[in-house]
Amino acid sequence: MKTIRSKLILYFFVFVVLFNVVSISIFFSSRSFLQEYDSSFRQFLLLNQISQTSNQLYEKANQFVLGRNQRVLNDFQKLRVTLNEKTKQLQNQKGFGEIQVKSYIHMIETLIQECEMSIGFAIRDDIDQYSLHIKEARNTSSYLQDTTMSLIDHKLTDYQTFYDDLERRKRSFIWFALFLFNTTVLLAVFFALWFSRGINKPVQILSKAASEVSAGKLDGPIIHIDSNDELKLLGETFNLMRKNIRQYIAEIEEKSELDSLLKELELKHLQNQINPHFLFNTLNTISRTAYFENAEETSRLIHAVSTLLRYSLGNINQSVRLREEIKVVTEYFYIQKTRFSDRITFSVNVAEECKKIQVPRLILQPIVENAFIHGVEGMEEGGNILLNIFSENGRTIAEIHDNGAGMTEELVTLITNHQEKNSQHVGHSTGIGLQNVMRRMELFYQAENLVSISSAKGRGTSVKLIFPMEEGDSLEGNNCG
């Protein structure tokens, strides 16, 4: 992952390299001009030095002829050596015509030769010869001066071309400098805007999302930051934080709803949840049974009622084994069968391996009671309620089916969607309705669609409960509270 710091260092390095490349290019270009200018200037100096040395050489030779002075002769020898060195330098110079250089060097050699011959004949006191040769040396020196001026003039003509080219390059360099300056400014502005946008845009997105979170809006879109630096990590961390907050709030709401349901149940227990109508009918049944039968049946009935009352008054927060729920349903069946005799048939089919699983307390009896009250209680005969519990795909399934009055599709939808607000489906013995059972199942197992209802008007109702836990799993720590 690239960091913002590494990006800044990279951009700075790119600009430094760019400026260095341009600076080096300008340096070498200027150096080439300077070398060319220096070469031309040195050629001018060399020609001027040769011209002056040649003239001095002639003057020393003439002085010696006139005065016969040894010091003048020594100066002549030094000037001759210097002139020879300058001549060799001229041979190595470029920019002159080969013929012109050879002719010029030949004149220099002629001058030296004439001067030496003048001095030699002067030493011999041969007036005619040294006069002839000194005159020839004077002419050669004069011609050499003219030739030097001609070469300098020719070189100046070439230099004019060089100077014009230099002026053109100067103007081009000015335009190049302006172009380079504008390009550099534009590139700097572009990179500054691009880089700042890469930082500012994600910051604005994060700032907006943070404002929404502070305002309580936690369902905003996921933040996508298209970068590979700290801002992307910050965006991912913010998404995770908002998700965790949503989950935490959902857990608090679920716990609050569960607490509300439990408090409602506890209140019903404190308010004597045994419906007077149910108690009245049960007591009448016990009375009739005591009248027509022996005391054993009455005792059994009283035992069933006490079992049901004791179980319904137990701690609603604790989970229980499924066998205890089945026992309570069986006692409830016994009480109702005693009341209605052969009008209603109760059947229980339970797989043995399903009895050990942990389930919420009072989860089966309210549904069975609902099937009785709203399904088969009004039937004169042929009423049937079936409790079937079996294992399927690692889950325990409980089905409560009746062949009673049934419900409309609209009412089934209202119940399954938790929209049925009246107390039509609240049991007499416990005060617990279908919606309470459904919601406690969802909260207990932290899952949805665990209760399904299939019904048709006049064709009965089938309620299916799904217990996700495997057989033998302990849910004692996962109680309703």
Side-chain angles (χ1 to χ4, degrees), residues 22-34:
V22 172
S23 300
I24 292 173
S25 300
I26 293 174
F27 169 76
F28 281 104
S29 178
S30 302
R31 183 183 179 188
S32 175
F33 278 117
L34 290 174

Side-chain angles (χ1 to χ4, degrees), residues 34 261 442:
L34 290 174
L261 289 173
E442 293 174 357

Side-chain angles (χ1 to χ4, degrees), residues 340-346 375-385 402-404:
F340 294 95
S341 186
D342 295 333
R343 285 175 52 192
I344 301 174
T345 303
F346 300 97
V376 300
E377 186 177 20
M379 298 177 65
E380 294 294 333
E381 60 180 356
N384 181 42
I385 297 177
D402 69 79
N403 62 345

Side-chain angles (χ1 to χ4, degrees), residues 147-239:
T147 303
T148 301
M149 293 303 296
S150 177
L151 288 173
I152 291 176
D153 183 65
H154 178 73
K155 196 63 182 175
L156 285 173
T157 302
D158 293 340
Y159 182 78
Q160 182 64 40
T161 303
F162 168 74
Y163 181 77
D164 293 340
D165 184 57
L166 186 62
E167 284 293 322
R168 285 194 300 271
R169 292 190 180 187
K170 177 183 176 182
R171 290 192 294 270
S172 299
F173 179 75
I174 293 174
W175 284 108
F176 173 74
L178 291 174
F179 171 77
L180 179 63
F181 175 76
N182 293 330
T183 303
T184 304
V185 170
L186 290 176
L187 283 175
V189 171
F190 170 76
F191 278 110
L193 291 176
W194 180 66
F195 183 75
S196 62
R197 182 176 180 272
I199 296 178
N200 184 65
K201 185 178 179 181
V203 170
Q204 291 293 332
I205 294 174
L206 288 171
S207 177
K208 181 180 178 182
S211 298
E212 292 177 351
V213 171
S214 64
K217 183 180 180 182
L218 299 173
D219 56 349
I222 296 177
I223 295 176
H224 295 285
I225 296 180
D226 298 327
S227 66
N228 55 349
D229 50 27
E230 295 92 341
L231 293 174
K232 182 176 182 180
L233 178 61
L234 187 61
E236 293 175 350
T237 304
F238 185 87
N239 288 331

